[in-house]
Amino acid sequence: MLNIAHVDKTYRNGTVALHNVSLAVNEGEIVAVVGGSGCGKSTLLRLISGLDQVSTGTITVEGVKVDQPSALVGLVFQEPRLLSWLTVAENIAFGIRHLPKAEREQRVRTLLEDVRLPEYGDRWPKELSGGQAQRVAIARALAAEPDVLLLDEPFSALDAFTRAELQDHLIYLWERHRRTFLIVTHDIEEAVTLADRVVVMKPHPGRIEAELPVDLPRP
Ligand code: ADP
Ligand code: ADP
């Protein structure tokens, strides 16, 4: 599904952000990437999402090389980054404007139900709580039905209660959509709670130090 093969990333200033990173993620698998600051987690997500290019090696999704942003990969950031001048429904529909109106509206309705905000389509982003806004951001990322959903510290800006709630939502969404999820987190407990497999990264240069299977039931 997602295949990362012998990837190196050296920035123009000479920083080796990633060295010889290889990782294969199966369809429908949830993988958590953990590691301290500077070990290349954000760089890795930027490369997989096509926002930046590898120096050497290859990254493919379903056999298709990703070297620019595409509908194959959805992205959720630490902050929701909703567009304030669009309603919740319009935000979710933003990446699928090319679809016929009926199909677009059906998808938006389904996603609003999936993130348990069925009545919120006509609201504005500023009317939402932090947890609700992040649920909308996840719905928006799923709208184009990406093969892989990347989540970059998606819950670390939320309080502990909301974080636990959103973790439950994420599992529910995964059960509904069965996409491949790759979640970057500082929170080892979150990694173990959510993921089938935990990938541990180390810095200088950024690399994968270990891969650990998780054999725990999900919440
Ligand atoms: P993490 O997300 O794990 O904190 P990053 O991917 O942000 O790690 O950074 C990995 C390394 O690459 C760090 O040494 C960082 O300073 C460096 N780095 C990140 N972005 C750039 C950039 N645009 N130019 C130069 N160096 C960068
Ligand atoms: P349009 O002019 O195409 O109807 P809008 O700007 O009204 O576009 O909305 C953009 C898209 O957002 C809609 O096509 C639809 O997919 C979605 N949308 C807007 N409001 C709602 C809503 N209340 N429920 C479901 N989907 C909505």
Side-chain angles (χ1 to χ4, degrees):
M1 153 59 53
L2 168 63
N3 198 47
I4 301 168
H6 306 293
V7 162
D8 279 51
K9 176 64 183 179
T10 304
Y11 285 108
R12 251 173 308 183
N13 67 0
T15 304
V16 180
L18 294 175
H19 178 62
N20 197 24
V21 169
S22 295
L23 178 67
V25 184
N26 301 320
E27 187 169 349
E29 195 179 15
I30 305 182
V31 169
V33 176
V34 299
S37 189
C39 64
K41 304 183 299 296
S42 307
T43 299
L44 185 63
L45 288 195
R46 274 204 301 277
L47 296 176
I48 299 169
S49 60
L51 294 172
D52 198 358
Q53 281 78 46
V54 300
S55 302
T56 61
T58 51
I59 300 179
T60 59
V61 174
E62 286 277 304
V64 178
K65 200 162 164 176
V66 285
D67 49 14
Q68 55 183 353
S70 85
L72 295 171
V73 179
L75 196 50
V76 176
F77 302 96
Q78 186 171 339
E79 339 75 55
R81 301 195 189 183
L82 301 178
L83 301 172
S84 62
W85 59 92
L86 297 179
T87 64
V88 164
E90 289 165 353
N91 266 281
I92 295 173
F94 191 76
I96 51 171
R97 294 181 300 263
H98 57 285
L99 292 182
K101 188 176 167 89
E103 191 180 344
R104 209 173 6 154
E105 287 180 353
Q106 182 53 47
R107 261 198 220 180
V108 170
R109 255 194 307 278
T110 303
L111 282 163
L112 282 170
E113 281 162 20
D114 289 348
V115 295
R116 315 265 169 91
L117 294 170
E119 308 299 326
Y120 281 72
D122 294 325
R123 303 274 194 109
W124 298 98
K126 65 172 187 306
E127 300 176 291
L128 305 177
S129 70
Q132 289 172 337
Q134 194 61 322
R135 275 143 66 192
V136 173
I138 295 171
R140 177 181 57 185
L142 286 170
E145 302 187 340
D147 292 305
V148 178
L149 183 67
L150 304 178
L151 305 112
D152 190 1
E153 301 270 357
F155 309 138
S156 55
L158 304 170
D159 64 82
F161 179 78
T162 308
R163 191 180 314 140
E165 195 178 69
L166 275 261
Q167 289 170 357
D168 284 351
H169 278 281
L170 193 71
I171 293 301
Y172 174 76
L173 278 173
W174 174 79
E175 282 167 353
R176 300 265 300 156
H177 293 264
R178 295 284 163 171
R179 306 286 149 175
T180 301
F181 286 3
L182 190 73
I183 177 166
V184 163
T185 176
H186 277 112
D187 183 344
I188 307 272
E189 194 183 332
E190 176 166 281
V192 171
T193 304
L194 294 176
D196 300 304
R197 185 150 55 108
V198 177
V199 171
V200 183
M201 294 188 70
K202 286 279 162 75
H204 312 300
R207 63 193 186 277
I208 293 177
E209 181 75 7
E211 280 185 42
L212 313 165
V214 179
D215 200 9
L216 286 174
R218 293 220 172 82

PDB file of all heavy atoms in Angstrom, residues 89-90 93 101 104-105 108-109 121-122, ligand 2:
ATOM      1  N   ALA A  89     -19.515  22.461   6.270  1.00  0.00           N
ATOM      2  CA  ALA A  89     -19.761  21.593   5.103  1.00  0.00           C
ATOM      3  C   ALA A  89     -18.893  22.003   3.912  1.00  0.00           C
ATOM      4  O   ALA A  89     -18.344  21.155   3.210  1.00  0.00           O
ATOM      5  CB  ALA A  89     -21.229  21.623   4.715  1.00  0.00           C
ATOM      6  N   GLU A  90     -18.748  23.300   3.706  1.00  0.00           N
ATOM      7  CA  GLU A  90     -17.919  23.775   2.586  1.00  0.00           C
ATOM      8  C   GLU A  90     -16.451  23.446   2.802  1.00  0.00           C
ATOM      9  O   GLU A  90     -15.726  23.134   1.846  1.00  0.00           O
ATOM     10  CB  GLU A  90     -18.108  25.287   2.404  1.00  0.00           C
ATOM     11  CG  GLU A  90     -19.481  25.656   1.843  1.00  0.00           C
ATOM     12  CD  GLU A  90     -19.820  27.134   1.998  1.00  0.00           C
ATOM     13  OE1 GLU A  90     -19.057  27.873   2.670  1.00  0.00           O
ATOM     14  OE2 GLU A  90     -20.867  27.536   1.467  1.00  0.00           O
ATOM     15  N   ALA A  93     -16.063  19.896   1.881  1.00  0.00           N
ATOM     16  CA  ALA A  93     -16.215  19.710   0.435  1.00  0.00           C
ATOM     17  C   ALA A  93     -15.086  20.348  -0.371  1.00  0.00           C
ATOM     18  O   ALA A  93     -15.011  20.149  -1.583  1.00  0.00           O
ATOM     19  CB  ALA A  93     -17.553  20.296  -0.021  1.00  0.00           C
ATOM     20  N   LYS A 101     -22.508  17.687  -7.806  1.00  0.00           N
ATOM     21  CA  LYS A 101     -23.067  18.255  -6.578  1.00  0.00           C
ATOM     22  C   LYS A 101     -23.737  17.205  -5.688  1.00  0.00           C
ATOM     23  O   LYS A 101     -23.510  17.183  -4.472  1.00  0.00           O
ATOM     24  CB  LYS A 101     -24.067  19.348  -6.962  1.00  0.00           C
ATOM     25  CG  LYS A 101     -24.596  20.151  -5.793  1.00  0.00           C
ATOM     26  CD  LYS A 101     -25.509  21.268  -6.307  1.00  0.00           C
ATOM     27  CE  LYS A 101     -26.304  21.908  -5.188  1.00  0.00           C
ATOM     28  NZ  LYS A 101     -25.608  23.030  -4.562  1.00  0.00           N
ATOM     29  N   ARG A 104     -21.120  15.039  -4.000  1.00  0.00           N
ATOM     30  CA  ARG A 104     -20.398  15.850  -3.030  1.00  0.00           C
ATOM     31  C   ARG A 104     -21.221  16.012  -1.760  1.00  0.00           C
ATOM     32  O   ARG A 104     -20.735  15.812  -0.647  1.00  0.00           O
ATOM     33  CB  ARG A 104     -20.166  17.227  -3.667  1.00  0.00           C
ATOM     34  CG  ARG A 104     -18.949  17.947  -3.219  1.00  0.00           C
ATOM     35  CD  ARG A 104     -18.753  19.201  -4.064  1.00  0.00           C
ATOM     36  NE  ARG A 104     -19.866  19.428  -4.974  1.00  0.00           N
ATOM     37  CZ  ARG A 104     -20.215  20.624  -5.445  1.00  0.00           C
ATOM     38  NH1 ARG A 104     -19.574  21.692  -5.107  1.00  0.00           N
ATOM     39  NH2 ARG A 104     -21.224  20.751  -6.268  1.00  0.00           N
ATOM     40  N   GLU A 105     -22.489  16.343  -1.927  1.00  0.00           N
ATOM     41  CA  GLU A 105     -23.333  16.581  -0.759  1.00  0.00           C
ATOM     42  C   GLU A 105     -23.538  15.295   0.037  1.00  0.00           C
ATOM     43  O   GLU A 105     -23.563  15.311   1.264  1.00  0.00           O
ATOM     44  CB  GLU A 105     -24.669  17.201  -1.188  1.00  0.00           C
ATOM     45  CG  GLU A 105     -24.461  18.642  -1.602  1.00  0.00           C
ATOM     46  CD  GLU A 105     -25.735  19.351  -2.046  1.00  0.00           C
ATOM     47  OE1 GLU A 105     -26.788  18.695  -2.164  1.00  0.00           O
ATOM     48  OE2 GLU A 105     -25.642  20.568  -2.286  1.00  0.00           O
ATOM     49  N   VAL A 108     -20.362  14.679   2.031  1.00  0.00           N
ATOM     50  CA  VAL A 108     -20.250  15.616   3.156  1.00  0.00           C
ATOM     51  C   VAL A 108     -21.201  15.182   4.272  1.00  0.00           C
ATOM     52  O   VAL A 108     -20.827  15.135   5.448  1.00  0.00           O
ATOM     53  CB  VAL A 108     -20.542  17.062   2.710  1.00  0.00           C
ATOM     54  CG1 VAL A 108     -20.658  17.986   3.917  1.00  0.00           C
ATOM     55  CG2 VAL A 108     -19.455  17.564   1.771  1.00  0.00           C
ATOM     56  N   ARG A 109     -22.426  14.804   3.895  1.00  0.00           N
ATOM     57  CA  ARG A 109     -23.397  14.359   4.906  1.00  0.00           C
ATOM     58  C   ARG A 109     -22.894  13.124   5.648  1.00  0.00           C
ATOM     59  O   ARG A 109     -22.954  13.055   6.875  1.00  0.00           O
ATOM     60  CB  ARG A 109     -24.739  14.039   4.246  1.00  0.00           C
ATOM     61  CG  ARG A 109     -25.806  15.100   4.491  1.00  0.00           C
ATOM     62  CD  ARG A 109     -27.205  14.607   4.134  1.00  0.00           C
ATOM     63  NE  ARG A 109     -27.270  14.066   2.777  1.00  0.00           N
ATOM     64  CZ  ARG A 109     -27.409  14.808   1.681  1.00  0.00           C
ATOM     65  NH1 ARG A 109     -27.484  16.126   1.767  1.00  0.00           N
ATOM     66  NH2 ARG A 109     -27.465  14.250   0.494  1.00  0.00           N
ATOM     67  N   GLY A 121     -23.255  21.196   9.614  1.00  0.00           N
ATOM     68  CA  GLY A 121     -22.847  21.573   8.256  1.00  0.00           C
ATOM     69  C   GLY A 121     -22.881  23.065   7.979  1.00  0.00           C
ATOM     70  O   GLY A 121     -22.003  23.593   7.295  1.00  0.00           O
ATOM     71  N   ASP A 122     -23.876  23.748   8.515  1.00  0.00           N
ATOM     72  CA  ASP A 122     -24.031  25.175   8.210  1.00  0.00           C
ATOM     73  C   ASP A 122     -23.374  26.095   9.237  1.00  0.00           C
ATOM     74  O   ASP A 122     -23.490  27.311   9.145  1.00  0.00           O
ATOM     75  CB  ASP A 122     -25.523  25.528   8.092  1.00  0.00           C
ATOM     76  CG  ASP A 122     -26.160  24.832   6.902  1.00  0.00           C
ATOM     77  OD1 ASP A 122     -25.469  24.677   5.876  1.00  0.00           O
ATOM     78  OD2 ASP A 122     -27.338  24.422   7.009  1.00  0.00           O
TER      79      ASP A 122
HETATM   80  P1  ADP B   2     -22.734  25.123  -4.407  1.00  0.00           P
HETATM   81  O1  ADP B   2     -22.908  26.497  -4.971  1.00  0.00           O
HETATM   82  O2  ADP B   2     -22.022  24.167  -5.326  1.00  0.00           O
HETATM   83  O3  ADP B   2     -23.959  24.526  -3.766  1.00  0.00           O
HETATM   84  P2  ADP B   2     -21.748  25.912  -1.776  1.00  0.00           P
HETATM   85  O4  ADP B   2     -20.705  26.966  -1.670  1.00  0.00           O
HETATM   86  O5  ADP B   2     -23.126  26.176  -1.310  1.00  0.00           O
HETATM   87  O6  ADP B   2     -21.666  25.330  -3.258  1.00  0.00           O
HETATM   88  O7  ADP B   2     -21.226  24.633  -0.966  1.00  0.00           O
HETATM   89  C1  ADP B   2     -20.115  23.931  -1.413  1.00  0.00           C
HETATM   90  C2  ADP B   2     -20.349  22.472  -1.132  1.00  0.00           C
HETATM   91  O8  ADP B   2     -20.415  22.270   0.292  1.00  0.00           O
HETATM   92  C3  ADP B   2     -21.692  21.991  -1.622  1.00  0.00           C
HETATM   93  O9  ADP B   2     -21.710  21.639  -2.959  1.00  0.00           O
HETATM   94  C4  ADP B   2     -21.898  20.784  -0.757  1.00  0.00           C
HETATM   95  O10 ADP B   2     -21.137  19.684  -1.242  1.00  0.00           O
HETATM   96  C5  ADP B   2     -21.357  21.224   0.537  1.00  0.00           C
HETATM   97  N1  ADP B   2     -22.408  21.731   1.425  1.00  0.00           N
HETATM   98  C6  ADP B   2     -22.719  23.021   1.709  1.00  0.00           C
HETATM   99  N2  ADP B   2     -23.667  23.104   2.620  1.00  0.00           N
HETATM  100  C7  ADP B   2     -23.993  21.831   2.962  1.00  0.00           C
HETATM  101  C8  ADP B   2     -24.912  21.247   3.898  1.00  0.00           C
HETATM  102  N3  ADP B   2     -25.668  21.968   4.721  1.00  0.00           N
HETATM  103  N4  ADP B   2     -24.970  19.893   3.973  1.00  0.00           N
HETATM  104  C9  ADP B   2     -24.176  19.140   3.196  1.00  0.00           C
HETATM  105  N5  ADP B   2     -23.293  19.626   2.303  1.00  0.00           N
HETATM  106  C10 ADP B   2     -23.190  20.961   2.178  1.00  0.00           C
END
